Amino acid sequence: MSAATPDPTPAPGPDPTPGDSTRSVHAGRPPAEPYTPSLPGPVFVSHYHLPGEAAGPYTYGRDENPTWTHLERAIGELEAPDDPAVTTLAFASGMGAIAAVLLSQVRAGQTVVLPSDSYQATRSLQARLESYGVAVRLAPTAGDGQLAALEGARLLWLETPSNPGLDVCDIRRLADAAHAAGALVAVDNTLATPLGQRPLALGADFSLASGTKALTGHGDLLLGYVATRDPELAASVRLWRKTVGAIPGPMEAWLAHRSLATLALRVDRQADNAVALARALLDRPEVTDVRHPALPGDPAHPVAVRQMRRFGSVVSFTLPDQAYAERFLAALRITAEATSFGSIQSTAERRGRWGGDAVPPGFIRFSVGVEDAADIVADVLRALDESREQGQTGAGDA
Ligand code: PLP
């Protein structure tokens, strides 16, 4: 056969690896059964028929629920696509998942290393841990600052990108150092989502997150999860969930699973919109410290491009002072002034209004939604103009 004649029967190759959108749509759905829905509806149940010995898989509603099972499989497929043995456990909220790992894995006399710039409620567990006799060391995310705090630690906690500062640390480097020091590694994957980075593949023992944010992305439910490859670690977190009862409702779990189908669509659009907004902000003289890991000039960029596949929906920046920031937020029309992030709707807030984060009074955490980029940018630029003009005339200074 001449080189120009194609072979009519090419040998079949391996199935191509499905893309992220395909995996998002199909994650966790059971095999097709005639006359059944592709995503079974929520199972509302506290007690199952349970004759004889109390053996699973479903015994009591606080222990297990088929709706969680589908969702947990789905998240596990996204967090660790190459590892069918990964275990994922759904929780009532991100904090439920965080507390489950922190409080089930350490005991009196041990040491935990937390990021000094993590989500503030995670850091608020410091006092609780110390009251139980656990030592807590704090070190910054940027520059892998936690490396220097690892000696003798039992658990290293990473949050990358960090909320709200958007610093990034090198998960692989820190995980290797922590394991050499005898510590477990947990990564809060909330900002990145499993389509943004895969902490388990980078060496973490736990990848966990708030599913309230971009994972489910509609601002209509609270959820958390913990994923791990280690069956013993999974068993101890499962026992914690059952003991304290930090379980998701079946309706939330089902809504979360339904929302996962659009995860790739949403996070791609949000990431593009975030870059468009960040670039527009870089041109404004009254705006300083524009942060987003995708910006080539961002301090987080060099590490982010090595370990992340998407860079998230959150952009942060600083306006001259609190009053300026408040005028800006009030002038926004498309973007809602709200806390939380990762939603389909753009939201923004002056982060300093809560206290607890080391941010300037004019610091804005902006979560970019899936609206049209041009509309988001136009809204922000107009609100910036209005807040500057009102500041010059003294209007709105009540
Ligand atoms: N982790 C991070 C990074 C967060 O930003 C948040 C909430 O903002 C949480 C965890 C807690 O999530 P939840 O509000 O679902 O408890």
Side-chain angles (χ1 to χ4, degrees):
M1 191 179 295
S2 83
T5 314
D7 178 351
T9 54
D15 281 347
T17 309
D20 286 349
S21 275
T22 307
R23 296 191 309 113
S24 301
V25 169
H26 292 277
R29 295 192 182 227
E33 283 274 346
Y35 321 118
T36 63
S38 96
L39 180 63
V43 176
F44 299 105
V45 60
S46 56
H47 52 86
Y48 303 84
H49 289 297
L50 189 65
E53 290 300 314
Y58 298 107
T59 56
Y60 181 60
R62 179 160 38 79
D63 302 356
E64 269 306 343
N65 178 299
T67 310
W68 308 347
T69 306
H70 290 128
L71 173 67
E72 289 168 346
R73 282 193 192 133
I75 297 174
E77 286 172 24
L78 297 173
E79 279 281 351
D82 307 325
D83 188 356
V86 68
T87 301
T88 303
L89 294 155
F91 282 83
S93 67
M95 283 313 298
I98 287 169
V101 173
L102 270 173
L103 299 176
S104 69
Q105 299 306 314
V106 294
R107 50 189 57 82
Q110 295 183 327
T111 298
V112 175
V113 181
L114 293 179
S116 52
D117 48 353
S118 73
Y119 172 52
Q120 53 177 286
T122 305
R123 273 180 285 126
S124 76
L125 286 170
Q126 177 180 1
R128 177 68 47 199
L129 287 163
E130 287 171 349
S131 77
Y132 295 157
V134 176
V136 176
R137 293 183 201 138
L138 297 172
T141 300
D144 298 340
Q146 291 169 280
L147 270 181
L150 286 177
E151 201 184 320
R154 160 70 183 162
L155 178 64
L156 169 65
W157 195 271
L158 307 178
E159 183 183 299
T160 180
S162 59
N163 170 24
L166 301 181
D167 280 318
V168 166
C169 60
D170 186 332
I171 298 174
R172 166 68 68 195
R173 181 178 181 219
L174 283 152
D176 287 350
H179 289 153
L184 294 170
V185 178
V187 177
D188 186 327
N189 205 23
T190 302
L191 271 96
T193 82
L195 296 188
Q197 75 194 358
R198 294 185 194 145
L200 298 178
L202 294 167
D205 300 286
F206 296 102
S207 180
L208 54 105
S210 167
T212 312
K213 317 292 180 193
L215 187 82
T216 62
H218 289 67
D220 53 8
L221 60 86
L222 280 101
L223 189 90
Y225 71 86
V226 177
T228 178
R229 293 175 144 143
D230 183 317
E232 281 180 29
L233 296 179
S236 64
V237 175
R238 188 186 295 278
L239 179 61
W240 176 271
R241 179 179 70 174
K242 170 177 167 168
T243 310
V244 303
I247 54 167
M251 190 67 201
E252 281 78 1
W254 181 81
L255 272 174
H257 199 164
R258 197 177 82 141
S259 304
L260 283 186
T262 55
L263 179 62
L265 281 176
R266 287 185 281 107
V267 294
D268 278 344
R269 178 65 166 258
Q270 285 172 318
D272 288 350
N273 285 356
V275 170
L277 176 63
R279 288 195 193 287
L281 289 168
L282 285 172
D283 292 337
R284 298 291 295 219
E286 72 275 47
V287 179
T288 53
D289 289 330
V290 179
R291 296 291 310 266
H292 188 266
L295 293 177
D298 192 284
H301 188 70
V303 180
V305 288
R306 288 207 303 273
Q307 71 186 17
M308 298 180 75
R309 299 162 62 232
R310 294 176 175 84
F311 301 98
S313 65
V314 181
V315 176
S316 70
F317 54 95
T318 302
L319 294 175
D321 54 37
Q322 175 173 341
Y324 209 115
E326 286 171 351
R327 288 197 302 273
F328 165 71
L329 291 166
L332 290 166
R333 290 184 197 145
I334 289 176
T335 300
E337 185 173 356
T339 196
S340 199
F341 55 87
S343 178
I344 47 171
Q345 182 185 7
S346 294
T347 60
E349 72 170 337
R350 195 179 69 78
R351 195 60 190 160
R353 66 180 173 168
W354 297 100
D357 290 318
V359 292
F363 180 95
I364 302 287
R365 187 183 68 188
F366 198 109
S367 173
V368 182
V370 300
E371 301 95 338
D372 292 290
D375 294 333
I376 298 169
V377 171
D379 193 38
V380 165
L381 297 184
R382 186 195 41 72
L384 284 173
D385 288 341
E386 281 182 30
S387 36
R388 186 189 55 224
E389 284 155 20
Q390 285 170 11
Q392 283 160 358
T393 61
D397 277 356

